[in-house]
Amino acid sequence: MKNNLSNIKKAIKYLNKNECVGIPTETVYGLAANAYSSIATAKIFKLKKRPKKNPLIVHYFDLKMLEKDCKINDIFLRLYKEYSPGPISYILKIKKKSLISKNVTNNKNTLAVRFPSHKLTRNLLKQLNYPLAAPSANISTKISPVSKKDVKEEFGKKLNMILDGGQSKIGVESTIISLINKPKVLRLGGIPKHQIKKYLKFNLAYQKKSKIKSPGQEKIHYSPHIKLRLNIKNPNKNEAFILIKKRKKMNTNYFYLSKKNNLKEAAKNLYKTLRLIKNKKFKSIAVEKIPNKGFGEVINDRLKRASNFK
Ligand code: AMP
Ligand code: MG
């Protein structure tokens, strides 16, 4: 803990100097910078090689901080009480007097916001007088990082500091819900859609494609940049095979996402497994059919986009 405190101090120093810092969250690791600074947020786009038109999610400690930047509505408050801090992001209207950099919103009047639950990052956010813009800490279109080591693999010496918060517990990105008009889910993620629907007690639309081009909706994304085939029963001989159900036979090219056929555990291990396969230099990946329910729906969404890499 003592070690963490001095690391947080060091992270604050970098952030105050408009530098980027890798931060742990329960979903995936983020590449964080002062959301009020155009100099700092421009560095996120440069490091990630991210198209400028893709807006960023801004991370807050609490409602008090959020109210400086966003207009708040009743459905937001209901969802906030139930799910935040946690793996859910909300799209809200931005206030005119907000100091959020135009880089973050791509000049639009809406803002994606989240309250991460990871202790270390909450501790960091609490000590800052600005929120943190933080997309996933990976090069655009590639696999999201779920540990400090993964972030290092993405950026090497280009990134001066990464806070170490262990492996991300959820392992996939946040669920994004737009609260601008009728609530609708824009990206499947850490909180299953059916759960939110049950809680709100009304039908919740899922809009896969939005007018705002965003990374979570890009055709190729979450990809190890290796050919990937879905719904495969029998893989080729030299192909990595991603499985969810235990088989009698165990081969060196088999990679289990879950020990007990548990979809939440499988989601947690997804990016870690894809990265392991990439680092083992496999040329092709086959994936067993994954049930399309709960976290299985999230896994399938990410794998579908990864499979667009040819
Ligand atoms: P990531 O790079 O993983 O943090 O993903 C950022 C996500 O934020 C994208 O997938 C977008 O869907 C979403 N996003 C950010 N700002 C907005 C916005 N104003 N409207 C709609 N989606 C947004
Ligand atoms: Mg991302």
Side-chain angles (χ1 to χ4, degrees):
M1 193 61 195
K2 209 169 168 193
N3 185 29
N4 279 345
L5 288 181
S6 66
N7 282 335
I8 287 177
K9 262 198 186 149
K10 203 167 133 196
I12 294 173
K13 263 194 193 155
Y14 277 114
L15 291 166
N16 284 343
K17 282 195 291 187
N18 285 328
E19 293 294 324
C20 294
V21 170
I23 57 164
T25 90
E26 68 280 16
T27 59
V28 301
Y29 272 63
L31 184 66
N34 179 353
Y36 292 158
S37 159
S38 291
I39 296 169
T41 49
K43 288 181 185 168
I44 294 180
F45 287 89
K46 192 166 173 220
L47 269 171
K48 272 182 68 82
K49 302 194 177 101
R50 178 174 173 115
K52 292 249 163 56
K53 60 181 193 283
N54 288 339
L56 305 175
I57 298 178
V58 176
H59 296 67
Y60 288 86
F61 177 70
D62 62 8
L63 277 185
K64 211 173 133 209
M65 277 293 280
L66 179 78
E67 277 170 345
K68 294 183 185 167
D69 297 320
C70 289
K71 293 179 193 163
I72 280 168
N73 58 49
D74 289 348
I75 294 181
F76 165 74
L77 284 176
R78 274 179 69 195
L79 289 167
Y80 176 87
K81 267 188 208 148
E82 181 73 7
Y83 298 117
S84 295
I88 181 166
S89 301
Y90 313 95
I91 312 286
L92 296 170
K93 281 200 182 120
I94 200 163
K95 283 184 175 167
K96 276 215 176 80
K97 59 167 198 200
S98 161
L99 297 176
I100 292 286
S101 159
K102 300 272 184 258
N103 290 340
V104 170
T105 56
N106 186 24
N107 264 315
K108 301 272 183 311
N109 57 1
T110 60
L111 184 67
V113 305
R114 185 162 99 79
F115 307 84
S117 66
H118 195 291
K119 261 197 187 152
L120 200 56
T121 289
R122 267 184 76 70
N123 200 334
L124 170 67
L125 286 167
K126 197 176 174 181
Q127 296 182 55
L128 299 171
N129 52 9
Y130 46 83
L132 292 175
S136 50
N138 54 288
I139 307 289
S140 258
T141 80
K142 296 199 176 172
I143 313 167
S144 302
V146 290
S147 70
K148 177 178 175 177
K149 192 174 136 277
D150 295 352
V151 181
K152 220 172 186 164
E153 220 172 271
E154 292 291 314
F155 300 113
K157 291 211 171 87
K158 286 184 187 155
L159 185 60
N160 284 321
M161 174 151 198
I162 309 162
L163 276 173
D164 191 351
Q167 199 196 324
S168 296
K169 288 212 166 74
I170 303 283
V172 287
E173 292 80 356
S174 59
T175 302
I176 301 181
I177 181 162
S178 169
L179 303 174
I180 298 298
N181 295 310
K182 231 175 129 191
K184 60 181 172 228
V185 170
L186 299 184
R187 175 174 76 186
L188 303 174
I191 297 182
K193 178 163 61 72
H194 70 90
Q195 241 181 39
I196 305 175
K197 207 164 130 181
K198 206 167 139 194
Y199 171 71
L200 285 176
K201 295 199 181 74
F202 56 73
N203 199 23
L204 192 58
Y206 171 39
Q207 184 182 320
K208 268 194 195 167
K209 283 205 176 94
S210 83
K211 280 179 211 127
I212 296 186
K213 259 278 187 201
S214 47
Q217 298 178 323
E218 215 80 72
K219 252 188 108 185
I220 299 178
H221 202 52
Y222 315 113
S223 162
H225 287 215
I226 302 169
K227 208 175 91 188
L228 187 143
R229 312 185 297 137
L230 299 173
N231 303 326
I232 304 297
K233 278 193 185 136
N234 297 301
N236 299 327
K237 222 175 102 200
N238 296 321
E239 204 170 26
F241 192 31
I242 295 184
L243 305 123
I244 184 133
K245 280 188 235 126
K246 264 272 181 268
R247 303 207 169 186
K248 278 191 203 126
K249 222 170 74 183
M250 185 59 203
N251 285 349
T252 49
N253 62 329
Y254 284 14
F255 297 87
Y256 287 96
L257 289 182
S258 163
K259 283 188 198 116
K260 297 171 226 134
N261 200 5
N262 174 313
L263 290 171
K264 190 168 182 188
E265 186 194 356
K268 181 184 168 186
N269 290 325
L270 178 67
Y271 292 140
K272 193 174 128 186
T273 305
L274 287 173
R275 197 174 280 274
L276 177 68
I277 290 169
K278 184 191 85 176
N279 289 341
K280 283 186 182 278
K281 309 265 187 281
F282 279 92
K283 296 278 182 296
S284 155
I285 304 173
V287 186
E288 180 177 57
K289 190 178 170 103
I290 308 224
N292 205 39
K293 56 173 194 224
F295 276 93
E297 219 184 343
V298 186
I299 297 171
N300 284 329
D301 170 73
R302 304 302 193 261
L303 287 174
K304 179 87 198 22
R305 290 178 215 269
S307 75
N308 287 329
F309 180 86
K310 303 288 176 219

